Amino acid sequence: MKKFVSLVSVATLALSLAACGKGDGGANTSASAESAGPKLGIRPYGDETVKPDMSKIKNGDLPKVFDYIDKHIDEHVVNLQKWIQQPSISNTGEGIQESAEMVKGFFDQLGCQKTQVFEPGKTKWGSQANPVVYAKCDEGAKKTLIVYWQYDTMPVTQPDLWKAPPFEGRLVEQAPFKKVLIGRGATNSKGPEMTFLNAVMSIKAVSGKLPVNLIFVAEGDEERMDIGLNKFMTEHMDLFKGADGVWGPGGSEGCVFVELTTSGHKWGRGPDYSDIHGAFKLAVDSPAWRHIEMLSKLTTDGGNKIAIPGFYDDLLPPTKEQEAALRKAAENYDLKRAAQNLGITRFISDDPYTVLKMLRTGTSMNLDGIWGGNMFAGGSGAILPNKITSKHNFRYQPNMTGPDIVAKLRKYLDQLGYKDVEINVVGDVPWAIRDQNNDLAKSNAYTRSIFGGGGGMPFAGGGGGYWPAYVFSGKETNIDLPISAAYGGAGGNAHAANEWYAIEGAGKQLGMASGEKVVATALYNYAGLNGPIAPPAPPKPANSANGASGS
């Protein structure tokens, strides 16, 4: 797998963004600057069948911003390629420090007055946090938005399955798109984030200032349960004073991650100190088989129902309003396309309504990984492991809690005779409910109407996902703000091989240039600088925590 020199990536991307950010107050740049840019031949509208309703574009800056984006889209795609080329894998630490400095460079280039890389230190779960990058961009505007980012990505666990190297950022054709970018982090979440950055850089190139003030917070632990962000936000709430809203996916389901470990030493049977020769299974107990037997008692129905007593006690059922919303969404939900985007053959159910209900209001216990003993592919090598560990994420909804789930798991294991099995809590992200009846959500809904309903969430193919909405909604902090975003673009295969982000759009699925226009329009709408916004949305059902796309 190809590795890239991080400092070179930082420097070259800074130069590219600098070119993007320079202007004379209008949409035109010098001929020399334009001729020096990359020539990728990106078609700004690709094969999209929807375009913005220009009759709803009232601010004179926005058509100039749109034109600027179209003229510089090749450079904007290169910006994303160079970011993809910098690994940032939080679970291994590869490239994390370099990536934090790279992100700080983005915010410096944007002209933010304060930019800083923070080291939160040891978290409440016992692990060391990765850096958090903070920036404040005071544009003298009336409104201020907190912009949430993650700069970390998942590891590449199956490199042989990739059709392009995961840290190259190659452009390929992938039906129905003529051009998508393949790379780790393309969809989750560097593609959508670079789309945002390109958009605000374009606004500054055209008008010299942004319509809203921005406070960026970029974490490097999203794929590690946001452990560092939790510590940073609880210790630095003063850095977010004066904010009016958060640019983020909205509500979130809850998720608690645990590791379960069975060892011969704790059990008092089997290998006590280290792995031993597998031939001795003839007369020695196996901690590994005991662990598998234990796991088999935690779920039923092929792993689709959790067998821990009391697990579902606090789960609130969907309301009538939520049921109706799910049925309406199911009318246009293409299960086949969703499965393709996700990289699966089929869902548990073949009914769109049932699948959406599972994704948006359901619970689960996943087996994320299991290891111990002979971990070498192919060959033989007889080993009787002395220890085996499995990793699990529990997805949960209102009014359940992570600590209560762990307590019920501990009690059940003890009852089954597995008191020696260790539970290590990796982290917990509580659910968060967000009301959509606010100016930010309404202005974003109006933005979506301008673009004919094109685009959507940055993750294609599914419904659920956690993200740390709770730290922006009054849980463990004094920050309780509206959360919403208007996304364009499309992508898929998050956490999987061949992760992708659409560069040229197709049909109602927007490409990168249109996604940038969505962001620019949304910011002007929220600032009240582009005409009216949509009527108030009805209150969100009290037990609807989902609506996010994340880890």
Side-chain angles (χ1 to χ4, degrees):
M1 189 183 303
K2 184 177 181 181
K3 305 298 180 187
F4 294 82
V5 179
S6 303
L7 293 179
V8 173
S9 299
V10 174
T12 53
L13 184 51
L15 289 173
S16 180
L17 286 173
C20 174
K22 289 179 180 177
D24 55 4
N28 296 321
T29 58
S30 68
S32 61
E34 293 216 9
S35 62
K39 302 297 182 183
L40 299 179
I42 305 299
R43 298 175 299 151
Y45 282 101
D47 298 306
E48 295 166 16
T49 58
V50 289
K51 287 191 176 182
D53 182 351
M54 297 305 292
S55 70
K56 294 181 179 180
I57 301 299
K58 307 295 184 182
N59 190 290
D61 283 346
L62 279 172
K64 298 176 184 178
V65 172
F66 291 1
D67 185 57
Y68 185 94
I69 289 169
D70 287 346
K71 289 179 178 178
H72 292 80
I73 188 59
D74 282 7
E75 297 165 36
H76 293 183
V77 173
V78 170
N79 292 341
L80 176 57
Q81 287 178 313
K82 290 176 178 175
W83 196 11
I84 293 292
Q85 289 164 5
Q86 171 58 62
S88 52
I89 304 173
S90 51
N91 279 287
T92 65
E94 182 183 0
I96 286 294
Q97 296 294 331
E98 296 91 339
S99 296
E101 292 296 334
M102 193 174 194
V103 171
K104 180 182 181 298
F106 296 165
F107 303 150
D108 287 332
Q109 205 62 52
L110 182 58
C112 299
Q113 294 88 347
K114 178 179 175 61
T115 63
Q116 185 174 347
V117 176
F118 286 83
E119 296 284 354
K122 194 172 184 178
T123 71
K124 68 180 184 179
W125 291 281
S127 302
Q128 284 292 122
N130 284 327
V132 172
V133 188
Y134 172 89
K136 186 170 185 179
C137 313
D138 188 349
E139 302 289 325
K142 293 181 180 179
K143 292 185 177 180
T144 300
L145 276 179
I146 298 171
V147 181
Y148 167 80
W149 277 17
Q150 69 173 93
Y151 64 82
D152 66 314
T153 71
M154 286 290 288
V156 177
T157 54
Q158 297 172 305
D160 293 343
L161 298 182
W162 287 71
K163 56 188 175 185
F167 298 113
E168 179 182 318
R170 184 182 299 177
L171 302 182
V172 304
E173 183 173 350
Q174 178 176 293
F177 305 100
K178 289 295 191 298
K179 283 187 174 69
V180 303
L181 185 147
I182 300 291
R184 176 55 83 221
T187 292
N188 186 15
S189 297
K190 293 179 179 181
E193 289 165 359
M194 184 54 72
T195 296
F196 185 95
L197 183 63
N198 286 334
V200 293
M201 291 292 288
S202 298
I203 293 172
K204 292 205 77 170
V206 168
S207 67
K209 65 177 183 178
L210 301 177
V212 295
N213 309 313
L214 299 178
I215 299 175
F216 286 93
V217 57
E219 66 161 319
D221 280 314
E222 201 280 340
E223 304 297 358
R224 297 200 309 159
M225 303 299 292
D226 313 289
I227 57 175
L229 182 72
N230 174 283
K231 192 167 191 290
F232 174 78
M233 296 293 294
T234 55
E235 293 181 351
H236 296 283
M237 289 180 278
D238 58 306
L239 294 177
F240 301 90
K241 286 181 180 178
D244 300 293
V246 179
W247 184 271
S252 173
E253 66 188 8
C255 181
V256 60
F257 249 93
V258 301
E259 290 177 342
L260 302 179
T261 299
T262 298
S263 68
H265 179 74
K266 289 275 188 178
W267 182 25
R269 307 187 70 143
D272 179 68
Y273 172 69
S274 72
D275 299 343
I276 63 174
H277 198 294
F280 288 103
K281 181 63 193 79
L282 293 165
V284 178
D285 288 313
S286 168
W289 278 121
R290 184 168 183 268
H291 193 88
I292 299 302
E293 182 184 57
M294 177 267 295
L295 291 182
S296 71
K297 298 176 182 178
L298 299 182
T299 65
T300 61
D301 189 24
N304 295 329
K305 185 174 181 180
I306 299 167
I308 299 170
F311 179 85
Y312 298 100
D313 286 354
D314 299 319
L315 176 63
L316 296 178
T319 64
K320 291 182 179 179
E321 294 80 8
Q322 191 174 9
E323 294 272 10
L326 288 171
R327 292 193 183 281
K328 183 172 179 60
E331 293 174 3
N332 298 309
Y333 191 64
D334 187 338
L335 274 185
K336 184 177 180 180
R337 173 59 59 84
Q340 288 175 342
N341 285 344
L342 197 57
I344 63 173
T345 303
R346 52 165 290 182
F347 290 93
I348 294 173
S349 171
D350 293 321
D351 173 49
Y353 165 75
T354 302
V355 170
L356 286 176
K357 187 174 181 180
M358 288 175 171
L359 289 171
R360 297 181 182 177
T361 69
T363 60
S364 65
M365 177 188 179
N366 188 46
L367 174 56
D368 297 85
I370 187 166
W371 61 94
N374 186 342
M375 301 292 290
F376 300 99
S380 59
I383 286 178
L384 177 53
N386 78 307
K387 182 166 65 174
I388 183 170
T389 298
S390 56
K391 189 186 294 285
H392 309 269
N393 76 81
F394 290 87
R395 306 284 168 146
Y396 63 91
Q397 301 285 345
N399 281 331
M400 307 166 81
T401 71
D404 182 62
I405 290 171
V406 174
K408 288 174 178 174
L409 172 62
R410 177 75 274 166
K411 182 179 179 180
Y412 186 44
L413 291 178
D414 292 351
Q415 290 175 347
L416 293 174
Y418 298 105
K419 292 184 179 182
D420 57 285
V421 173
E422 300 177 47
I423 301 177
N424 173 44
V425 179
V426 178
D428 179 37
V429 176
W431 51 265
I433 295 173
R434 292 291 83 196
D435 180 12
Q436 297 301 299
N437 192 19
N438 56 74
D439 287 347
L440 180 58
K442 288 183 284 184
S443 66
N444 286 333
Y446 182 61
T447 297
R448 287 187 285 272
S449 75
I450 292 175
F451 286 80
M457 298 300 290
F459 298 88
Y466 77 80
W467 77 284
Y470 76 99
V471 297
F472 303 112
S473 55
K475 288 186 177 181
E476 301 191 26
T477 69
N478 60 9
I479 303 166
D480 189 3
L481 297 170
I483 304 174
S484 178
Y487 291 105
N493 290 4
H495 292 210
N498 300 311
E499 186 176 351
W500 61 275
Y501 189 65
I503 300 301
E504 291 186 358
K508 287 190 175 183
Q509 294 183 287
L510 304 185
M512 192 170 192
S514 293
E516 292 175 15
K517 294 169 189 175
V518 170
V519 171
T521 305
L523 296 182
Y524 274 86
N525 284 341
Y526 180 58
L529 301 176
N530 189 53
I533 58 177
K540 192 173 183 182
N543 67 326
S544 178
N546 237 327
S549 287
S551 291

